Amino acid sequence: MYKPKKIIKRKEAKAMFKLIVQELEKESQLNDRTILIVDNITLLEQLKHEHVDDIKERGVVELFKNGSQEMFRENKSVDKILKIVEQQRKLQAELKLTPASDKRVAEVVTVDEFEDF
């Protein structure tokens, strides 16, 4: 039985770990090699929620002071969340856990299209 790394503390990240492990077990794809990718996805999930907390605390934009200059700038956590989500999607695709990578869906669509001709 695989468990999340000890560094994983957030409830959301632990839940994601459990969900992905269950999906990989259903497909008989859970092994030491795939668990490394699951660990990375889970770590990214934890980081994502830390950035969400930062946005909740400081907002989407923040007041930036540079000497006598004052301006608003985008909270860098917003951009980091977008990058984390994209990286998670790539790792999920590598594990064939995205809708686009589901071969059964693609096969059903292909068969139905050709039957119409």
Side-chain angles (χ1 to χ4, degrees):
M1 178 71 180
Y2 293 100
K3 293 183 180 181
K5 290 183 174 188
K6 292 183 194 267
I7 193 170
I8 303 299
K9 305 284 186 202
R10 301 217 41 147
K11 177 179 68 171
E12 302 90 351
K14 287 180 180 182
M16 178 171 268
F17 181 91
K18 184 178 177 183
L19 177 69
I20 294 172
V21 166
Q22 287 173 348
E23 287 299 314
L24 291 172
E25 282 177 336
K26 283 184 203 173
E27 301 294 325
S28 300
Q29 295 295 319
L30 187 61
N31 56 48
D32 290 340
R33 195 169 36 96
T34 57
I35 204 69
L36 293 172
I37 297 171
V38 175
D39 282 338
N40 287 334
I41 293 170
T42 306
L43 285 168
L44 287 167
E45 184 69 12
Q46 182 160 297
L47 281 173
K48 181 174 75 176
H49 283 282
E50 289 172 7
H51 287 298
V52 168
D53 289 345
D54 178 55
I55 292 169
K56 286 178 183 175
E57 183 181 316
R58 297 189 303 150
V60 176
V61 293
E62 60 185 338
L63 182 61
F64 175 70
K65 295 180 182 181
N66 184 11
S68 62
Q69 285 184 318
E70 285 187 11
M71 63 187 122
F72 285 96
R73 68 176 180 188
E74 182 180 319
N75 184 335
K76 293 180 181 179
S77 288
V78 174
D79 187 48
K80 289 180 181 178
I81 288 175
L82 295 173
K83 289 178 181 176
I84 288 170
V85 168
E86 180 61 22
Q87 187 61 37
Q88 283 180 310
R89 188 199 61 74
K90 287 177 183 177
L91 292 172
Q92 288 168 350
E94 196 167 319
L95 293 173
K96 295 181 175 44
L97 294 176
T98 62
S101 63
D102 190 348
K103 291 180 184 175
R104 289 170 290 176
V105 171
E107 288 172 5
V108 169
V109 171
T110 304
V111 170
D112 289 343
E113 288 178 80
F114 286 113
E115 286 179 354
D116 290 341
F117 290 107

